């Protein structure tokens, strides 16, 4: 899956910020802009570049947990990912990437 120009630009700006600053950056994208794709790309790049990286994606609903997992799988088939969600009946721990939520 190819990122759209504005999605890639968002990641490029984030990476640039992280190289030159300290603190906690925030990337804001509007509804329908493909935040799941951007988050999945960020996770994929981090784990591939730094294999000891551990990522926890937390979201508020089982639909968004599933959406983030599906987008990550479409970007990176075979991604080392687990889902931790009682509402989905999954407690997959031990992978570099965990997607979960409070439900």
């Amino acid at each position: 899956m190819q990122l759209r120009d504005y999605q890639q630009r968002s990641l490029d700006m984030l990476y640039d910020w992280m190289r030159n600053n300290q603190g906690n950056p925030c990337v804001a994208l509007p509804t329908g802009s493909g935040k799941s794709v951007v988050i999945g790309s960020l996770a994929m790049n981090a784990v591939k570049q730094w294999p000891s990286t551990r990522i926890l994606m937390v979201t508020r609903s089982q639909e968004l947990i599933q959406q983030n997992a599906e987008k990550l799988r479409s970007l990176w088939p075979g991604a080392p990912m687990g889902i931790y969600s009682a509402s989905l009946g999954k407690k997959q721990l031990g992978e570099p990437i965990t997607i979960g939520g409070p439900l």
Side-chain angles (χ1 to χ4, degrees), residues 19-96:
R19 277 189 294 275
N20 298 305
N21 298 281
Q22 290 189 4
N24 302 302
C26 178
V27 176
L29 295 166
T31 301
S33 61
K35 289 181 285 293
S36 295
V37 174
V38 173
I39 292 166
S41 293
L42 177 63
M44 178 181 69
N45 294 340
V47 171
K48 284 185 172 183
Q49 192 161 1
W50 300 284
S52 63
T53 296
R54 297 293 176 257
I55 296 170
L56 175 61
M57 289 184 220
V58 180
T59 189
R60 61 179 169 78
S61 71
Q62 74 180 42
E63 291 82 15
L64 291 174
I65 293 168
Q66 290 174 309
Q67 178 180 310
N68 285 347
E70 289 168 7
K71 292 299 180 184
L72 180 59
R73 288 271 187 235
S74 70
L75 287 165
W76 187 11
M81 172 194 76
I83 295 175
Y84 193 90
S85 170
S87 61
L88 294 174
K90 296 184 178 185
K91 293 184 178 181
Q92 303 165 332
L93 297 173
E95 297 290 347

